[in-house]
Amino acid sequence: MDATQLLKGVLDVAVLAVVETEDGYGYDVVRRLRGAGLTDVGDASVYGTLRRLYSAGALTSYVVPSEEGPHRKYYGITDQGRGVLKAQREQWRAFAATMNNLLSGVAA
Amino acid sequence: MNMELINKTAEYAAAVRQALSDLPAEEVEDLTEGLEADLAESWDESDGKPTIEAHAYANELRIAAGLPAAGKPAGFFERQQKSTQERIAAWASSIRKNPAGAWLLDFLVSLRPAWWVLRGYLAFWLIVEAWVVAPLVPTSIVPLLILIACVGGSVWLGAGTQKPFLRWLTIAGNVLAAFVFLLVLTEAAQSGDTVYYESDAETVEGLALNGHEVTNIFAYDANGALIHQVQLFDQDGKPLVTSVPGGNGCLTWVLDPVNANFNEECDTPGVWLPQTLETGAPAWNIFPMQMAESEYEGDREAKPGAVAMDVKPPFVKVPALTPVASGDSADSDQGTKPGNKDEKNTKESEVKSE
């Protein structure tokens, strides 16, 4: 099974969860996702997702000037984003439970 | 942060932006803001090299951001239209940043209905002007109806929402209307001819007659024969000089073969020459003034070896005065009728010369 295909469906909720813990800039989010075990996640996929969640109002963004090098664009979660995350978290749990049951042969 | 690495990522970042260039500029900027810094950090952990091609990277970015994958590149006209619209929008928003600019834009926008009416009038003018040879009139109501139709149509076009092809038609019409407007203005300026002459008259130096330069004077004696050399002075004893003492003139004129109605072209350019007084001083008040052939370019220089020539007088001979007036016994005739008439003539000419 291709992990990247699986990832596509859950990247939104994964990114929201990471940012909920602590605000982060693009590559920082990538690093934390990878650190959490999503080693195959692509940089550009994460940046694109951040951008899309921002457009949808789930994230807020602000620029932090850097004394050396370019400015960093940080993303933080909004109330709307928390709502989305809550809903998707429950959705995921239900889905994961269904899949776990299905795959362990306990399905009704 | 590794500045050297950031510089290295710039080229890659530019390629990514290029691959996204079919998107609106604002979108591209949002998507790739801080890209160099992110890339540098990423490459720092992967041997300082990109892991995928810029094009693939851009596509991943695009898909993750929920934008359609790169389709076929936009056609030339689409790109032109899009970039033109973007440039106009950017230009307008940069003007709006300034309060005076915003006010001006709003003001111009509020003037649009006036432009629609003017545009309609110009269309009317164009129609009437084009048909003016075969007059519109059976009745004078026809032009009025055309005017109403033109203005109404123009306002309808401006105020209504339009189909795309109508919009292109409107743009073309606007350009035409602006051109016609210039034509109308030019025509209006030309109809105010008197203004031109008045301003000319102020700039003429030396003698002028009703605003026109007097370049030479031909005196005829009482018998109507041309006087070949006459010195002229004004009422204060100043030498009477013509408009262009020493300036360029024309030695011989030819009729313009193309425009034969009074349009003459200069065949041989000439330069006016003064006479010399017995004191050795040059005199510009001896008439008719003579001329020598010159070059067009050489401003006040006669051609080498050119000789002073008489200029063709307007009349070979003019009517002589009545015999009584030309009598040399003016003293003895004093008080008689003809003498009075003579005096009257002088007065008249004095009045004229003022």
Side-chain angles (χ1 to χ4, degrees):
Chain A
M1 201 190 312
D2 188 356
T4 48
Q5 288 299 319
L6 287 178
L7 200 53
K8 268 183 190 163
V10 295
L11 193 54
D12 281 22
V13 69
V15 166
L16 282 174
V18 164
V19 177
E20 191 199 27
T21 322
E22 191 187 345
D23 292 359
Y25 59 87
Y27 191 70
D28 176 47
V29 174
V30 173
R31 193 185 282 130
R32 279 150 66 187
L33 286 170
R34 285 185 184 153
L38 298 176
T39 49
D40 287 340
V41 74
D43 298 13
S45 299
V46 175
Y47 303 149
T49 303
L50 283 168
R51 167 71 194 148
R52 182 164 41 78
L53 292 172
Y54 170 76
S55 302
L59 294 180
T60 173
S61 91
Y62 51 92
V63 172
V64 174
S66 159
E67 281 183 19
E68 23 151 0
H71 298 171
R72 286 289 189 194
K73 191 175 189 179
Y74 274 75
Y75 290 94
I77 197 161
T78 63
D79 288 344
Q80 193 191 328
R82 283 196 185 86
V84 172
L85 177 59
K86 186 167 176 276
Q88 290 195 352
R89 204 175 249 148
E90 281 159 16
Q91 231 178 328
W92 171 257
R93 279 181 188 139
F95 180 75
T98 308
M99 284 306 290
N100 284 340
N101 288 345
L102 182 72
L103 294 178
S104 50
V106 208
Chain B
M1 198 175 295
N2 189 338
M3 281 309 289
E4 202 184 325
L5 199 53
I6 288 176
N7 292 336
K8 262 173 75 183
T9 63
E11 201 181 323
Y12 186 85
V16 171
R17 290 195 177 98
Q18 178 60 40
L20 295 170
S21 61
D22 59 303
L23 299 171
E26 205 180 323
E27 187 92 53
V28 176
E29 204 198 316
D30 277 336
L31 268 176
T32 60
E33 202 178 357
L35 181 61
E36 285 86 345
D38 281 333
L39 285 172
E41 211 162 326
S42 171
W43 291 8
D44 205 21
E45 297 173 5
S46 62
D47 308 329
K49 270 183 269 173
T51 47
I52 54 172
E53 271 182 61
H55 186 78
Y57 188 97
N59 226 18
E60 198 180 320
L61 203 54
R62 191 194 288 266
I63 292 164
L67 300 162
K72 63 176 170 67
F76 176 76
F77 287 109
E78 266 176 274
R79 279 204 312 273
Q80 290 303 309
Q81 191 184 354
K82 199 169 184 181
S83 70
T84 306
Q85 282 170 349
E86 275 167 19
R87 241 175 297 156
I88 290 173
W91 183 64
S93 69
S94 75
I95 289 178
R96 282 208 179 277
K97 281 177 189 157
N98 179 336
W103 177 86
L104 183 69
L105 271 190
D106 289 338
F107 176 67
L108 289 176
V109 167
S110 73
L111 280 184
R112 283 176 69 205
W115 164 244
W116 298 336
V117 172
L118 176 65
R119 186 175 63 178
Y121 173 75
L122 291 171
F124 162 77
W125 187 86
L126 195 65
I127 291 170
V128 170
E129 189 78 352
W131 286 0
V132 91
V133 193
L136 282 171
V137 258
T139 54
S140 62
I141 193 94
V142 176
L144 186 65
L145 286 178
I146 292 178
L147 178 61
I148 290 171
C150 285
V151 173
S154 171
V155 172
W156 176 79
L157 269 182
T161 48
Q162 303 151 15
K163 295 201 169 72
F165 81 92
L166 262 185
R167 189 181 308 161
W168 282 109
L169 212 63
T170 312
I171 291 172
N174 278 345
V175 172
L176 182 66
F179 178 70
V180 173
F181 188 45
L182 284 180
L183 274 184
V184 173
L185 284 184
T186 314
E187 193 149 289
Q190 278 171 357
S191 69
D193 268 352
T194 42
V195 182
Y196 276 106
Y197 285 116
E198 272 172 18
S199 67
D200 264 1
E202 284 167 17
T203 58
V204 167
E205 288 172 16
L207 280 178
L209 183 65
N210 295 334
H212 291 277
E213 288 179 340
V214 172
T215 56
N216 209 351
I217 294 170
F218 295 88
Y220 294 82
D221 66 14
N223 295 319
L226 185 67
I227 304 177
H228 283 285
Q229 284 185 321
V230 59
Q231 299 191 52
L232 297 180
F233 297 89
D234 74 355
Q235 67 285 349
D236 299 323
K238 285 186 207 147
L240 206 58
V241 292
T242 50
S243 297
V244 282
N248 263 349
C250 188
L251 195 54
T252 56
W253 293 91
V254 288
L255 273 181
D256 181 348
V258 185
N259 266 327
N261 49 343
F262 298 112
N263 281 340
E264 286 182 318
E265 277 185 343
C266 189
D267 188 40
T268 317
V271 59
W272 297 108
L273 292 179
Q275 301 273 350
T276 310
L277 300 177
E278 59 178 351
T279 59
W284 290 100
N285 63 329
I286 320 291
F287 297 100
M289 218 185 316
Q290 287 186 310
M291 210 178 228
E293 200 178 326
S294 76
E295 308 280 3
Y296 265 121
E297 285 77 23
D299 222 6
R300 289 170 184 226
E301 293 287 328
K303 253 189 184 172
V307 287
M309 293 170 74
D310 287 336
V311 180
K312 193 183 161 218
F315 309 108
V316 178
K317 193 179 182 305
V318 294
L321 302 185
T322 53
V324 214
S326 67
D328 45 14
S329 52
D331 286 346
S332 60
D333 281 343
Q334 218 168 12
T336 64
K337 252 187 168 181
N340 280 343
K341 193 188 172 193
D342 221 12
E343 207 173 287
K344 204 179 161 196
N345 278 347
T346 314
K347 270 183 188 162
E348 270 178 8
S349 60
E350 266 176 13
V351 172
K352 255 190 186 167
S353 68
E354 274 173 8

